[in-house]
Amino acid sequence: MKNNLTLEQVAKYPRPGMSGLRRVGFTPDSSKVAFLFSAQKTLVQQLWTYQIATGKQEQLTGSAAEATTGPLSREEELRRERSRVRELGVTDYQFAKLAPIQTLLIPMGGWLYLKKGDGPLTRLENSQGAQDPRFNPDGSKVAFVRNDELLVLDITSGEIKTLTSGAGGGITNGLAEYVAQEEMNRSEGFWWSPDGSKLAYIQADSRHIPHYTIMHQGIVKPEVEEHRYPFAGEPNAYLKLGLIPVEGGETLWLDLGQDPDIYIARVNWRSETAFTAQLLSRDQRSLRLLSFDTQKGMVTTLIEEHREPWLNLSDDLHFLQLGEILWSSEKDGFRHLYLHAASGKELRQLTSGDWIVTAVTGLDEARRVVYFQATKESVLERHLYAVSLDGGEVRKLTEAKGWHDTIISPDFAYFTDTFSNLERAPSVTLRKIDGTSVATLFENNEATAETLDLNPPELTSFQTRDGVTLYAAIYNPPEIEPNRRYPLIVAVYGGPHAQRVTNSWDLTVDLRPQYLAQQGFVVIKVDNRGSANRGLVFEAAIAGDMGNLEVQDQVDGVRFMAQRDYVDGSRVGIYGWSYGGYMTCMSLLRAPEVFKVGVAGAPVTHWDGYDTCYTERYMNLPVANPQGYQNSAVMAHVENLQGKLLLVHGMVDENVHFRHTARLIVALTAAQKPYDLLLYPEERHMPRDAKGLEYMERRIIQYFKENL
């Protein structure tokens, strides 16, 4: 493809080599590996299993999944937006952990399907419209939310019981509120107790949050949808956390303290009688791990942390049967693992250094070993490591240089290793826990940089004007002609909680920069300060002043590239989506002498128009940082626009509302500044329409060709 990529290919999903195994996991007895896969290499997935003892592969779903590719319900559509899911067919599954025979639950097409052992896949009656369905531990019941109430369905009898009441009109029982789903990585709103006798759930009251109206105008019959969207500085949903018996009865509401303006960040059962919640303060600088005794009603603070300028959440909390607590913290500037006593007192630090733990993947209590993924080898790579709970050296379990995503079996005998690098698309290998290969579950032999005729980007680094090392990926034209200077395009995201420069297939198969390189452009990606996985100091450098230091770092990336004799530093473009759209605008306006052309997709243009949790984490409350909000707004700098700007936005985007682009248009008009506009009346934050995506790629490429 070095000279043959088409715009249709650039716009198509899944990307070449990316139609591999998804949602890889093990059955509860560790005898099989389960995964989602499309044998046709489309977005329509089926559920498969691989039997470890025999090597037998089996497809568990078929025509039922294929029949679920039609229109989605509004609730399902929005759920997939929150989780950034493009795939169709089977997108989720779960096994009952303690069922006497293998019991599987699959949501498809608005219904729930059940499979027991080798029996057939059967539809559960009374399950239509189930949101967030989840088995109890033994698989005899399924809890889910419907019409904003929490229900339990008995698998054997088919009896359905509504446990909660009072929902509707802005009150939900058992659903994660918007900011929890979008900004805190908490998609759940209820949790089964270990013995299946109780459910903990959140009641979210959003009645005081005004409706934000979105109009569907690109369809035959216009529709209106309304969202209760908490803008920065405005009230959040009021949250209550309660326990309710599965057999029905009154809710026991738990004491969360005197300050109602908090986030319920994480919820975990510790035992049948002990229940925990992580409460995050509104300013996101303080976190408390509370333990509730469900019999005596006592509340205990186990761990409390305070961090400046903000505190990042994790999913690393684990309770050991002996009472100890595995916890992770950024207290030394980098996320590392700590072991605490049952009381919450810190016992020892398990990992340390100028690198971070990115995820805990397994905790073997019998052998007292914790398995985790980390950046210890390189921030550009991910590897699996192990360390003893009693302290000692960290052991590296994956070898090949690149990106390893691992899942540990429940019996800690195996792990799956999904591996890729710039040269090879993801493959999935089943390995023994010591790293020895057992079987290849999926291999992308036909999807390599060589077979697809793609040039992997060059990974490099450079120093900023103040001496900070930044990493970059560079897409060069297939052949650099002597004495020719090529225009440069910056592909940017630039926001917190994201890393774009990695030794992974994702970079190679990003086909827009590949196409641009084939068309005679040089493209660079830079992870500026504020981006993820370099430690809190690196990330927090943008605190209270977004769109400033990030732009300086991107400018330094341009200056670094301009030192190469084949790069024309006077012809520089930039493009990005979401925070990258914001960065595109701010780069054109704050460094107009550098950036001449920009394509800004779904840009935030004023942080007072984005949600509470994300915005306030980085910018504080508007009333506490008015100058920061003013300086970080795109509209404050429109007078500086000298280059060409193309704005792209979906008009039913419920995340970064089209209002952001509309407000910028008003400011550009007032300043008599020219701009170009590409609208998608029926697209949300993640455009999905195949023809629309192809049209967008054509417009973007043409825009750079005409103006650079």
Side-chain angles (χ1 to χ4, degrees):
M1 292 185 186
K2 288 180 181 176
N3 295 292
N4 300 319
L5 270 177
T6 67
L7 287 170
E8 184 179 16
Q9 290 172 316
V10 173
K12 185 179 180 181
Y13 288 92
R15 302 298 195 199
M18 298 301 288
S19 56
L21 311 190
R22 297 181 183 275
R23 283 279 280 108
V24 179
F26 287 87
T27 55
D29 63 0
S30 299
S31 67
K32 297 178 181 178
V33 179
F35 51 87
L36 302 179
F37 177 62
S38 171
Q40 293 74 35
K41 299 183 180 180
T42 69
L43 291 175
V44 183
Q45 302 173 134
Q46 309 289 353
L47 177 62
W48 297 67
T49 58
Y50 171 90
Q51 192 169 56
I52 296 174
T54 66
K56 178 185 176 183
Q57 289 199 38
E58 181 183 8
Q59 182 179 327
L60 303 185
T61 56
S63 58
E66 292 163 4
T68 64
T69 59
L72 303 172
S73 68
R74 180 61 50 76
E75 291 79 13
E76 179 64 12
E77 183 183 328
L78 293 173
R79 185 193 71 81
R80 294 187 184 202
E81 281 293 313
R82 300 283 72 74
S83 55
R84 307 297 191 262
V85 171
R86 282 189 188 274
E87 288 71 30
L88 303 168
V90 183
T91 60
D92 196 14
Y93 67 91
Q94 58 186 277
F95 292 97
K97 293 182 179 180
L98 302 179
I101 62 172
Q102 182 177 293
T103 306
L104 176 65
L105 183 70
I106 306 172
M108 289 190 295
W111 292 84
L112 303 181
Y113 290 79
L114 185 75
K115 182 177 173 62
K116 284 194 171 186
D118 295 326
L121 190 66
T122 58
R123 193 174 77 178
L124 290 177
E125 299 305 317
N126 299 320
S127 68
Q128 187 174 25
Q131 291 179 262
D132 196 20
R134 260 173 288 147
F135 267 140
N136 68 342
D138 67 11
S140 62
K141 296 180 174 63
V142 178
F144 57 85
V145 175
R146 187 163 60 197
N147 297 324
D148 296 332
E149 299 286 12
L150 183 58
L151 295 81
V152 171
L153 172 63
D154 187 286
I155 299 294
T156 303
S157 68
E159 178 187 0
I160 194 164
K161 183 177 295 184
T162 302
L163 298 183
T164 59
S165 61
I171 295 178
T172 60
N173 288 314
L175 284 179
E177 70 279 15
Y178 173 83
V179 294
Q181 296 180 51
E182 181 65 31
E183 310 299 1
M184 292 192 291
N185 197 33
R186 175 171 66 77
S187 60
E188 308 91 353
F190 68 88
W191 299 265
W192 282 100
S193 64
D195 61 3
S197 66
K198 300 182 185 67
L199 282 161
Y201 74 96
I202 287 176
Q203 182 182 89
D205 183 354
S206 301
R207 290 175 296 178
H208 55 287
I209 300 176
H211 280 118
Y212 186 84
T213 302
I214 293 175
M215 184 74 176
H216 290 258
Q217 301 183 86
I219 53 180
V220 174
K221 186 178 180 181
E223 296 178 6
V224 172
E225 61 181 76
E226 293 184 327
H227 301 268
R228 297 183 185 273
Y229 188 99
F231 292 105
E234 300 299 321
N236 276 314
Y238 301 142
L239 304 180
K240 296 170 69 176
L241 183 59
L243 301 174
I244 193 165
V246 172
E247 298 306 317
E250 294 296 316
T251 296
L252 171 64
W253 297 110
L254 303 175
D255 181 8
L256 302 181
Q258 296 183 347
D259 184 2
D261 198 9
I262 48 91
Y263 296 104
I264 301 177
R266 300 286 184 268
V267 174
N268 301 85
W269 284 89
R270 189 174 189 180
S271 68
E272 284 80 357
T273 60
F275 174 76
T276 68
Q278 295 180 47
L279 303 187
L280 183 67
S281 60
R282 174 69 183 256
D283 66 8
Q284 300 182 65
R285 287 165 168 80
S286 297
L287 181 70
R288 291 181 295 148
L289 174 62
L290 300 184
S291 179
F292 303 91
D293 186 315
T294 62
Q295 294 180 325
K296 300 178 182 179
M298 296 174 57
V299 182
T300 305
T301 299
L302 296 175
I303 299 174
E304 188 165 7
E305 290 203 2
H306 183 84
R307 196 80 57 245
E308 295 288 347
W310 64 72
L311 195 150
N312 289 312
L313 299 171
S314 81
D315 293 302
D316 300 331
L317 173 64
H318 291 264
F319 294 103
L320 282 71
Q321 292 182 356
L322 294 177
E324 296 159 305
I325 304 168
L326 180 66
W327 180 257
S328 75
S329 171
E330 291 181 296
K331 65 172 67 179
D332 67 356
F334 297 88
R335 183 164 299 281
H336 284 294
L337 299 178
Y338 297 80
L339 189 68
H340 290 246
S343 64
K345 179 183 177 181
E346 183 182 322
L347 296 175
R348 67 185 63 92
Q349 184 172 350
L350 303 178
T351 63
S352 62
D354 292 349
W355 50 274
I356 70 166
V357 172
T358 57
V360 170
T361 56
L363 177 58
D364 184 347
E365 293 191 50
R367 298 173 183 85
R368 293 188 63 77
V369 175
V370 57
Y371 298 94
F372 61 94
Q373 293 176 186
T375 65
K376 188 174 188 295
E377 195 77 5
S378 165
V379 71
L380 304 180
E381 300 183 4
R382 291 295 181 276
H383 287 276
L384 177 65
Y385 300 87
V387 69
S388 171
L389 291 170
D390 299 315
E393 293 297 315
V394 170
R395 293 182 290 118
K396 180 166 162 282
L397 301 177
T398 48
E399 294 299 329
K401 289 184 175 296
W403 198 272
H404 298 264
D405 189 13
T406 59
I407 304 292
I408 310 289
S409 64
D411 65 358
F412 303 100
Y414 302 97
F415 69 89
T416 58
D417 179 9
T418 302
F419 168 74
S420 79
N421 58 26
L422 293 174
E423 299 286 347
R424 300 189 65 84
S427 61
V428 184
T429 304
L430 178 67
R431 300 184 183 277
K432 291 182 180 179
I433 200 65
D434 63 2
T436 305
S437 176
V438 175
T440 299
L441 304 183
F442 179 78
E443 193 161 20
N444 259 315
N445 287 326
E446 77 288 355
T448 67
E450 183 178 1
T451 57
L452 294 174
D453 210 15
L454 290 172
N455 272 340
E458 169 196 345
L459 296 184
T460 187
S461 64
F462 64 90
Q463 299 290 307
T464 64
R465 64 193 73 179
D466 50 350
V468 175
T469 298
L470 300 181
Y471 293 97
I474 301 165
Y475 300 77
N476 287 312
E479 294 182 7
I480 297 177
E481 300 175 17
N483 302 317
R484 179 177 173 183
R485 301 183 73 212
Y486 296 84
L488 176 68
I489 296 178
V490 175
V492 66
Y493 180 76
H497 279 201
Q499 180 186 0
R500 291 294 182 265
V501 181
T502 58
N503 184 7
S504 68
W505 183 248
D506 289 32
L507 248 67
T508 298
V509 81
D510 187 351
L511 296 186
R512 184 188 293 169
Q514 290 282 8
Y515 186 89
L516 284 165
Q518 290 182 11
Q519 298 296 309
F521 296 91
V522 177
V523 182
I524 183 173
K525 295 182 179 181
V526 174
D527 280 331
N528 52 251
R529 276 171 285 185
S531 57
N533 301 322
R534 295 281 302 275
L536 185 58
V537 171
F538 185 89
E539 184 184 25
I542 65 171
D545 187 22
M546 295 169 102
N548 185 7
L549 183 60
E550 308 99 294
V551 172
Q552 294 179 36
D553 284 354
Q554 294 295 332
V555 168
D556 288 351
V558 171
R559 290 173 177 165
F560 165 72
M561 288 301 296
Q563 296 172 12
R564 300 189 175 193
D565 58 12
Y566 64 90
V567 174
D568 186 347
S570 68
R571 291 188 292 159
V572 181
I574 184 170
Y575 70 81
W577 196 271
S578 195
Y579 201 100
Y582 167 69
M583 281 288 293
T584 297
C585 293
M586 294 299 274
S587 296
L588 282 174
L589 300 178
R590 284 191 140 170
E593 74 285 359
V594 175
F595 297 98
K596 309 304 182 185
V597 184
V599 178
V604 172
T605 59
H606 199 310
W607 290 105
D608 67 5
Y610 202 58
D611 71 53
T612 50
C613 187
Y614 183 96
T615 307
E616 294 168 10
R617 182 186 307 143
Y618 309 118
M619 292 292 294
N620 208 329
L621 290 163
V623 68
N625 185 22
Q627 195 60 49
Y629 274 79
Q630 173 64 22
N631 293 340
S632 295
V634 177
M635 282 77 84
H637 308 281
V638 293
E639 294 288 349
N640 297 332
L641 181 61
Q642 298 175 22
K644 298 285 291 185
L645 171 62
L646 172 62
L647 297 167
V648 188
H649 216 133
M651 295 182 71
V652 293
D653 189 335
E654 85 299 339
N655 181 352
V656 180
H657 301 135
F658 173 67
R659 169 183 177 229
H660 284 274
T661 289
R663 291 173 72 185
L664 178 55
I665 289 171
V666 170
L668 289 167
T669 303
Q672 296 293 288
K673 296 292 183 178
Y675 62 91
D676 294 290
L677 189 63
L678 175 58
L679 298 182
Y680 286 91
E682 290 302 314
E683 291 285 16
R684 297 191 183 276
H685 195 56
M686 189 170 77
R688 298 166 185 267
D689 176 67
K691 287 297 183 183
L693 287 167
E694 184 180 346
Y695 180 76
M696 179 174 68
E697 295 298 336
R698 181 169 287 107
R699 287 286 304 272
I700 291 172
I701 301 299
Q702 193 62 34
Y703 203 74
F704 284 122
K705 284 185 174 181
E706 291 175 353
N707 296 296
L708 274 185

